[in-house]
Amino acid sequence: MVEQLTPDERARALDALGDWDFDEARDGIVRQFLFADFSEAFAFMTRVALLAEVQEHHPEWSNVWNRVDILLTTHDAGGLSERDIRMAHAIEALLD
């Protein structure tokens, strides 16, 4: 079973993910991504979807034109877990 991160583990993980914020109400991490247009945003979502399938860990997200909002949380763990942190790092690597 996947374990929820402790407050100390969460703080260290967020320090390493500077652009992600903790969403206390949903016990997850969130980030907004902005792109030049809808095509770029959709292409990014496609790449994230492929990562999600490989990791078997799927984001909660929304897209409006050039904006993609992502929430990562592990429902089975009852909140933020190492799976979310790994997924966030993999998403960040897509931007390099």
Side-chain angles (χ1 to χ4, degrees):
M1 181 173 154
V2 179
E3 297 290 323
Q4 189 175 3
L5 295 180
T6 67
D8 286 341
E9 291 169 331
R10 181 180 66 224
R12 283 192 300 275
L14 282 171
D15 284 346
L17 289 168
D19 292 325
W20 292 78
D21 295 312
F22 182 63
D23 183 324
E24 189 171 347
R26 297 183 286 179
D27 199 4
I29 53 176
V30 295
R31 178 161 180 210
Q32 184 175 93
F33 299 86
L34 296 175
F35 300 93
D37 55 29
F38 178 75
S39 293
E40 282 189 23
F42 193 83
F44 171 74
M45 290 180 73
T46 301
R47 292 190 307 273
V48 172
L50 294 171
L51 283 174
E53 283 298 300
V54 169
Q55 293 193 20
E56 295 182 5
H57 189 56
H58 303 90
E60 293 182 29
W61 59 8
S62 66
N63 165 241
V64 177
W65 188 58
N66 71 333
R67 187 182 79 229
V68 177
D69 296 309
I70 297 180
L71 165 73
L72 298 173
T73 189
T74 304
H75 299 287
D76 293 345
L80 191 64
S81 77
E82 184 59 37
R83 293 182 77 190
D84 304 305
I85 303 307
R86 281 194 309 271
M87 185 66 177
H89 282 290
I91 291 169
E92 289 296 317
L94 294 175
L95 301 172
D96 293 337

